[in-house]
Amino acid sequence: MKTTPYAELERQYAEILDLEHALEVLGWDQEVIMPAASGESRAQTLATLSTVIHKKITHPILVRLVQRLYRQRKDLTPQQRRAVHLVRNRVMKATRVPATLMREIAL
């Protein structure tokens, strides 16, 4: 069975959201219960995860998919159009920030 472009966007974006959730849990753990001596190691982990998320959201395949769906938005339901609009805004903002800068910010 062939996957629709919108279903592919949902799949890829769900992976990004899962990674962001993991990042949030690690950040919470760092602030609440992690021993102070583990800070540098955790910072490296958070920076790596932030970089992976940034690379996924700026990956050329995802960028092209979002652009394609945005051009074809008249064929989508209102909910799908809104989702594409929101993801497109996020992708376009992320593509303006180099991955190296994202890592530095995360550290």
Side-chain angles (χ1 to χ4, degrees):
M1 182 165 86
K2 185 172 177 165
T3 305
T4 67
Y6 186 80
E8 180 59 21
L9 176 64
E10 285 183 313
R11 186 192 67 73
Q12 288 190 35
Y13 203 67
E15 288 180 4
I16 292 166
L17 293 176
D18 287 345
L19 290 169
E20 288 177 332
H21 179 70
L23 187 66
E24 291 170 5
V25 170
L26 288 171
W28 172 85
D29 177 69
Q30 181 179 16
E31 296 297 323
V32 177
I33 57 176
M34 189 184 82
S38 303
E40 188 174 326
S41 173
R42 179 59 57 89
Q44 289 294 327
T45 301
L46 293 172
T48 298
L49 192 49
S50 293
T51 302
V52 169
I53 292 167
H54 184 74
K55 286 180 179 180
K56 286 183 86 55
I57 204 159
T58 60
H59 194 283
I61 292 174
L62 180 61
V63 172
R64 284 192 301 270
L65 178 61
V66 168
Q67 290 171 338
R68 175 182 173 194
L69 284 165
Y70 188 76
R71 285 191 308 270
Q72 298 172 348
R73 64 189 177 276
K74 67 183 180 327
D75 299 330
L76 301 173
T77 68
Q79 294 85 359
Q80 290 172 331
R81 279 195 298 272
R82 182 67 179 152
V84 168
H85 173 78
L86 293 173
V87 173
R88 179 178 178 264
N89 284 348
R90 183 153 182 226
V91 167
M92 294 301 110
K93 286 178 185 176
T95 59
R96 295 182 187 116
V97 180
T100 53
L101 178 58
M102 284 302 299
R103 182 169 182 79
E104 288 178 32
I105 291 169
L107 286 172

